[in-house]
Amino acid sequence: MRAARLIKLVLLLQSRPSMTAAELAAELEVSERTITRDALALSEAGVPVYADRGRAGGYRLIGGYRTRLTGLARGEAEALFLSGLPGALRDLGLADAASAARLKVSAALLPSLRDAPDAVGRRFHLDAPGWYQEPETPELLAPIAEAVWDDRWVSARYRRGDGEEVERELCPYGLVLKAGVWYVCARADSSFRTYRVDRFTAVAVGEERFVRDEGFELSAFWEERAAEFARSLLRAEAVVRLSEAGARRLPYVTDRAAAEEALAAGTRDEETGSRVTVTLRVESEEVAFSQLLGLGAEAEVLAPDSLRARFEAAARALGELYS
């Protein structure tokens, strides 16, 4: 533990001209007295750590000293690719590894380039969770992540959408963070499936490793399954006559792929050509009502009759309210 801290201290000093004891203590999460002892130990070991006294003083390396201890460990290298997702790193237990990796990269850079990581960090940030929801870290995310990193079998209990709990033996291939929700893509028997991590009620990581299918690509698998899932939700249809403005806005109020498909197959008004009639795939009548209501008078629902009746009732109610 102390050896790792000493290396990190050297890397910090190598990546910056000078640091105070308070700054080093904050970075390494120790006391200033510990920093003093560590600096003395490094000096005795031949590392030229120099302490400047006074209010503007601090610790620095002299003589252009550079350590060669900048090789990335496997976990650090893997964590580095996730460094733009600080929340995800914390959830996966990789925050320390990513910090060490960033320090090693900074220490290996030329002095003129050492401000590059800070410059990027000041300009770009990825906020994965969606609006209007408090992101929660699933209780069993860490052991699942451990199994993913190490290609280990998992024995788990999983709560399905209907509430029933089932036993599963899984080969977890990868994790996906989608709008603040974690999913694990895993092989169960001979097929690949997707599971919500927050629905696991028990997870046991086995000692045995599975042989990864080298042809499996997580991003391609997720894209395909996400598209299938979106299509599977669209179980109903609505026939809608749209103005030009309504046609432009349709992809922004309902499923974009379904809207574009409907518009491509739509038929124009023979007399004016200013309106287009489309058959739109929707999740349900309830969802279609809430979505299409946002188009106001730019959309007229023609079918089904029950959905048209809902719009007629809403129009009357609005007319009475604003009359």
Side-chain angles (χ1 to χ4, degrees), residues 148-227:
V148 169
W149 286 123
D150 221 16
D151 293 344
R152 294 188 182 273
W153 281 85
V154 164
S155 297
R157 288 189 62 81
Y158 185 76
R159 187 180 66 256
R160 300 193 310 191
D162 59 8
E164 180 185 355
E165 287 197 2
V166 293
E167 301 279 351
R168 290 288 183 265
E169 295 288 327
L170 303 173
C171 300
Y173 270 59
L175 285 161
V176 174
L177 178 60
K178 169 70 172 177
V181 179
W182 284 98
Y183 297 86
V184 60
C185 301
R187 192 178 71 218
D189 300 324
S190 59
S191 61
F192 287 95
R193 300 178 184 177
T194 303
Y195 302 87
R196 280 183 60 135
V197 175
D198 58 4
R199 288 185 180 173
F200 284 97
T201 58
V203 170
V205 181
E207 293 296 324
E208 183 182 354
R209 286 185 170 87
F210 61 86
V211 178
R212 181 175 284 267
D213 180 355
E214 295 301 327
F216 177 84
E217 293 185 10
L218 180 60
S219 59
F221 172 79
W222 175 259
E223 184 177 350
E224 179 183 345
R225 288 304 171 91

